[in-house]
Amino acid sequence: MTPEDKMDMNSSRCPFLTQDSGDVLSCSNISHYTVTFLSCLYTMNTMLGLTLNILVLWAIWPEVKRSHGLPTYVISLLCAALLECLTLPFGVAYLSDSLEVGSLGCHVLSLMPKIAQRTATTFVMWIFVLRYVAVTHPLKYATFCSGRVCASVSISLWLTVTAISVTEQALAIDNSNICFPGYRIILEWALIDLILSVLFSHVPLIHLCTCGYLISCTLKNSPSVPRKQHKRISRLLFLAVVMFGILFCPMHIVLEYQSILVLLGQSIWQAKQTFIFHYHLMFALNSLSVVIVPFFYVFSSSAIKKRLKGLFKHR
């Protein structure tokens, strides 16, 4: 009997599989200390993430009504973070072997963090494009600030990412169902998984580095931008790129490495046993973005900071 056959016979102990009848999903091949650490991290990120994102959404809303443009896209970025916050409590239940869901619920739970993370990545890229247009072609930037354009772009980006993720999930369904987090290895889809992982991690990182460099160079050569302001903007851009690289890329590196090994002939069972621990840790690192993103906008925007200070002063 092959290792794969043994794994299929013991699906109740496998963290990747469940049955349509609603079996308890297990994460038993991760140590107790790791489960405790990840559960505490998910719980902390959920509470802080929900609080911070809602507060920043409230603080930035007046900017949306006045200027549209960038604040509108930041709203979508914060909403993506909120969506991921809503999935993290299920991660706690999953890690403690107490998550009972059927087939449909399982697929929804695996899709939600994927859509949230990919949408956040897409809007970060779009925001960098807008910043570049704003400093190089101010008149064209005004076009993107109209209400209709903002709404159309935001809806289009959400729908595009959702369509890609749902289609990928629907076409790759095999005899088992994946759950939180969306971790799978399917030989027939290893190449597609590799391409999508690169598309939503390394390509965006290259894009952010390029746009950040071009924005910094443009501001440096602009006589109307004070040197102090140029340094501040450059530091913020650099910080955003570093945050993206640290939070989003490691998880995808794990996925890409395992896909390459499977394509080169390593057994799926061995790949799962090797990478599940690393994937969970990198997924947990990625979940920190739900806290760091709103913090970034609090400290980078004086308007948001002032409005939040006013809220707590009144109390």
Side-chain angles (χ1 to χ4, degrees), residues 38-54 81-93 180 283-284 287-292 294:
L38 294 178
S39 297
C40 292
L41 183 61
Y42 288 155
T43 302
M44 179 192 71
N45 287 346
T46 299
M47 294 187 295
L48 287 177
L50 287 173
T51 303
L52 288 172
N53 281 283
I54 290 173
L82 279 175
L83 177 61
E84 186 169 356
C85 284
L86 296 177
T87 69
L88 297 181
F90 295 103
V92 176
F180 182 98
F283 185 91
S287 72
L288 287 171
S289 63
V290 303
V291 175
I292 295 178

Side-chain angles (χ1 to χ4, degrees), residues 171-226:
L171 293 178
I173 292 176
D174 58 355
N175 295 327
S176 63
N177 298 307
I178 54 178
C179 210
F180 182 98
Y183 180 86
R184 65 155 191 217
I185 307 177
I186 302 174
L187 178 59
E188 295 78 8
W189 276 80
L191 180 59
I192 301 299
D193 288 339
L194 177 61
I195 293 172
L196 288 174
S197 186
V198 171
L199 183 63
F200 285 102
S201 60
H202 302 301
V203 170
L205 183 60
I206 294 172
H207 168 89
L208 297 184
C209 290
T210 303
C211 286
Y213 175 76
L214 293 175
I215 293 170
S216 181
C217 290
T218 303
L219 293 177
K220 184 178 180 180
N221 297 326
S222 175
S224 61
V225 178

Side-chain angles (χ1 to χ4, degrees), residues 6-314:
K6 292 180 181 179
M7 186 177 67
D8 290 337
M9 292 177 63
N10 295 282
S11 61
S12 63
R13 295 186 291 105
C14 178
F16 325 99
L17 308 178
T18 184
Q19 302 296 326
D20 292 344
S21 58
D23 292 339
V24 177
L25 300 179
S26 174
C27 198
S28 57
N29 60 343
I30 297 180
S31 72
H32 171 72
Y33 298 105
T34 303
V35 168
T36 302
F37 169 74
L38 294 178
S39 297
C40 292
L41 183 61
Y42 288 155
T43 302
M44 179 192 71
N45 287 346
T46 299
M47 294 187 295
L48 287 177
L50 287 173
T51 303
L52 288 172
N53 281 283
I54 290 173
L55 284 173
V56 175
L57 279 170
W58 172 82
I60 203 174
W61 185 248
E63 301 296 317
V64 174
K65 293 191 295 184
R66 282 197 296 265
S67 62
H68 298 290
L70 186 61
T72 302
Y73 302 117
V74 173
I75 289 285
S76 288
L77 179 58
L78 295 173
C79 286
L82 279 175
L83 177 61
E84 186 169 356
C85 284
L86 296 177
T87 69
L88 297 181
F90 295 103
V92 176
Y94 171 74
L95 291 169
S96 61
D97 294 344
S98 58
L99 179 61
E100 299 184 20
V101 292
S103 175
L104 178 60
C106 208
H107 290 300
V108 170
L109 287 180
S110 66
L111 269 174
M112 286 176 64
K114 184 181 294 185
I115 291 173
Q117 292 164 4
R118 290 177 173 180
T119 301
T121 298
T122 304
F123 273 99
V124 169
M125 293 173 63
W126 180 245
I127 288 171
F128 265 63
V129 170
L130 280 183
R131 298 313 301 160
Y132 174 70
V133 174
V135 298
T136 56
H137 306 285
L139 295 179
K140 290 184 179 180
Y141 173 72
T143 304
F144 293 101
C145 294
S146 67
R148 287 185 179 180
V149 173
C150 289
S152 299
V153 171
S154 297
I155 293 173
S156 297
L157 293 179
W158 273 97
L159 289 178
T160 300
V161 172
T162 302
I164 291 173
S165 302
V166 171
T167 302
E168 174 197 8
Q169 180 103 341
L171 293 178
I173 292 176
D174 58 355
N175 295 327
S176 63
N177 298 307
I178 54 178
C179 210
F180 182 98
Y183 180 86
R184 65 155 191 217
I185 307 177
I186 302 174
L187 178 59
E188 295 78 8
W189 276 80
L191 180 59
I192 301 299
D193 288 339
L194 177 61
I195 293 172
L196 288 174
S197 186
V198 171
L199 183 63
F200 285 102
S201 60
H202 302 301
V203 170
L205 183 60
I206 294 172
H207 168 89
L208 297 184
C209 290
T210 303
C211 286
Y213 175 76
L214 293 175
I215 293 170
S216 181
C217 290
T218 303
L219 293 177
K220 184 178 180 180
N221 297 326
S222 175
S224 61
V225 178
R227 185 175 180 180
K228 185 177 180 181
Q229 185 179 0
H230 167 254
K231 286 187 176 181
R232 176 180 174 275
I233 295 174
S234 296
R235 284 195 296 265
L236 288 175
L237 292 172
F238 176 77
L239 180 60
V241 173
V242 170
M243 284 168 45
F244 182 88
I246 293 175
L247 297 177
F248 285 84
C249 288
M251 181 182 72
H252 288 280
I253 291 174
V254 173
L255 294 175
E256 291 157 14
Y257 186 49
Q258 72 167 24
S259 296
I260 291 172
L261 290 181
V262 169
L263 288 171
L264 292 177
Q266 186 176 86
S267 71
I268 294 176
W269 180 83
Q270 185 179 358
K272 285 180 178 179
Q273 296 302 312
T274 303
F275 292 104
I276 180 62
F277 172 74
H278 302 90
Y279 178 78
H280 273 283
L281 288 181
M282 296 303 100
F283 185 91
L285 176 65
N286 184 284
S287 72
L288 287 171
S289 63
V290 303
V291 175
I292 295 178
V293 167
F295 257 125
F296 177 82
Y297 281 102
V298 168
F299 289 104
S300 63
S301 172
S302 57
I304 294 178
K305 191 186 303 183
K306 182 178 179 180
R307 188 165 170 79
L308 288 176
K309 283 183 178 180
L311 174 66
F312 291 106
K313 281 182 179 179
H314 289 319

